[in-house]
Structures are given as C-alpha cells and as structure tokens.
Amino acid sequence: MLEDLNHFVWVARAGGFREASRLNQTSASALSDAVRRLEAKLGVRLLHRSTRSVVPTEAGQRLLARLTPAFDEIRSSLDVINGFRDSPAGTLRLNVPVSAARLVLPAIVPRFLAAYPDIRLEIVADDSFVDVVSAGCDAGIRYDERLEQDMIAVPIGPRTQRFATAAAPFYLDGRGRPEHPRDLLGHACIQGRFSSGAMTTWEYEREGEVVRVEPGGPLVVSAGAATDLAVDAALSGTGVISLFEDWLRPHLDSGRLEAVLEPWWPRFTGPFLYYPGRRLVPAPLRAFLDFIKLDGSVPT
C-alpha cells in the first residue's frame, strides 16, 4: 500500500496522471491502477477525474495533507545515508523557465554532472508560475519578482541581463529604423503570450524615462515554448522581436539581426535558484547549491 500511497501523492501534486507520469517516469496507466487499488482498499474515492483535470476529493485532500510531510520526512531520513557515500547520489528535479534552460543551465549542467556522476538531474521547463513542491520538484529557477514566499533564494547565472530589440536588416531597410520606442507602434512586431493569456508588454528605459509599448504584428507565440519560432520569424524578416539579449546575441554578432533602440534596452536582475526553507535540503540539491554558489556562502 505504501507504493500506492506514494503514487497517489504524485498524481495529486501534479494535477493529473499524464503529468505525474512525465515527472516521475512511470506510465499513466500504472499510476491510475495504483490509485484505483488504493481507493478500493480504503473504500473511498480520493480523486475527481474528468477529461480535463484530476482534483482530490475532500477525503483525498485530507489524506494528501497528512501524507506530504510524512513522505518528506521519509525522504529526508533516507537522505542521511548520503553522508556515508564518497559523493552524493540521488535525483535532483528542477523546475525552470525556458529562458533558463536555454541561457543559464547549459554552462552549469555538464560540469555539475561530471563532478557528481551519481546524481541524476531532471529538468522541467515550465514558464508558468508553479509551486515547486506540489510539482514534485526539489527547487526552481525564477526571477526575483516571481519568487514564492517562504523560499530560500540563491543567485544563479548572470546577475544582470538585458532585453534586446532587433530585426533583420532587410526588414529595417524597407520599414525604417525606429528612433523611439513609440515608433514600434508602426512596425510589425512579433509578440509573446503568457500561459495566463496575457500578452507581453515591451518596456524601455533611458535616462530615467520609462516607456511601455503594446505593439501589434502578424505573429503571436507562446512565451518561452515557441520562442525559437519567433526568432526564426525575425530572421526571415517577419518583424521586430524583443527577447533576452543572450538569446539574440549570436544573430546580432553574425549580422543576421540588427539591434534596434539599443540605448533604451532595459536591464534587470538575473535569476535565482529557490527552494523550500522549511525542510531538510536533500543531498543532490546541497551538492548543486555548493556547485553554483558565487561568494562562498549559501543561505541554509
């Protein structure tokens, strides 16, 4: 029954069998069978199932509330064994935005895995704002304005970044080069839409003047998930794109894209790795924290 209880927690936290199977590398059918067995043994329904969602019943919510700290304690107890190993072992799950998976982690992951060969790293790229614990992850990466409460945050990656605006030179030859952010209102701009449905707003700053623009254009893509399509469209002359400078930098350096309004490009603080501060830190996460710390001191 213990394994079935664990599978129930996975499904309830993930909000569905398919997502739970993806996060835990177990088939959705096996998870479904486990929950059915558990419900039959307990004699009560634990999950409301529909074609669109899986939600705990009242009984399921109460069981989940009791099981979550219990399983966390079991995991922490087993993690004590790692102290007797020559090097930490286990699985580390990180929930990160697509931008971090593209721009931050490639410089870290290969070296980290080489340094800790007994650690298995799972990366979930997700631009929505999620509860990392409920999502079954050990830690997440987000920017400071989106950090969850009661979390410990550690800097990771570049500490300052910029949003760049650019377009293909031949597009600008035909449409003109903007001299002020408001000039973008007369251009074809490639826009992004968040998972919430909100459109991205383009923000600029120069000498204390802040300008926010809501441009229009022929292409709208899902922010994060379809960003490469937006970049390809900009390279093909579809319109103007606004994106992380590091994402566009290879194309700017090659000349396939031309910088637009560079004196107005806004700077912002780089991302943070964050994790719950209310429980023991698993050995794989401790190893990752030690690996990325910048100044020799990581909050604990």
Side-chain angles (χ1 to χ4, degrees), residues 6-28:
N6 194 32
H7 289 170
F8 161 72
V9 171
W10 289 354
V11 174
R13 280 179 167 181
F17 293 97
R18 182 175 298 178
E19 182 66 12
S21 68
R22 183 177 68 84
L23 290 172
N24 297 281
Q25 293 191 327
T26 302
S27 71

Side-chain angles (χ1 to χ4, degrees), residues 32-50:
S32 180
D33 291 343
V35 173
R36 286 197 187 96
R37 282 196 304 270
L38 185 61
E39 289 176 329
K41 290 176 182 178
L42 298 177
V44 63
R45 179 177 290 276
L46 299 174
L47 297 174
H48 291 302
R49 302 166 178 82
S50 73

Side-chain angles (χ1 to χ4, degrees), residues 79-80 82-83 88-89 112 116 119 281-290:
D79 193 58
V80 172
N82 264 316
F112 172 73
Y116 297 96
I119 291 179
V281 178
L285 179 56
R286 283 201 306 271
F288 193 72
L289 290 167
D290 290 341

Side-chain angles (χ1 to χ4, degrees), residues 23 31 51 114 123 137 161 204 244-245 252 257-260 269 286 293:
L23 290 172
L31 293 175
T51 56
I123 305 296
C137 294
Q161 294 180 273
Y204 298 89
F244 290 88
E245 179 183 3
L252 293 168
L257 289 179
E258 179 180 327
V260 173
T269 304
R286 283 201 306 271
K293 63 185 178 181

Side-chain angles (χ1 to χ4, degrees), residues 7 14 18-19 28 53 93 98 104 108 133-135 144 147 150 155 162 182 193 207 215 261 273 276 295 298:
H7 289 170
R18 182 175 298 178
E19 182 66 12
S53 65
R93 294 184 178 91
V98 173
V104 176
I108 298 173
V133 176
S134 296
D144 54 359
L147 293 180
D150 302 323
R162 292 197 300 177
R182 294 191 185 91
R193 187 189 300 276
E207 297 177 354
L261 300 170
L273 178 83
D295 59 3
V298 174

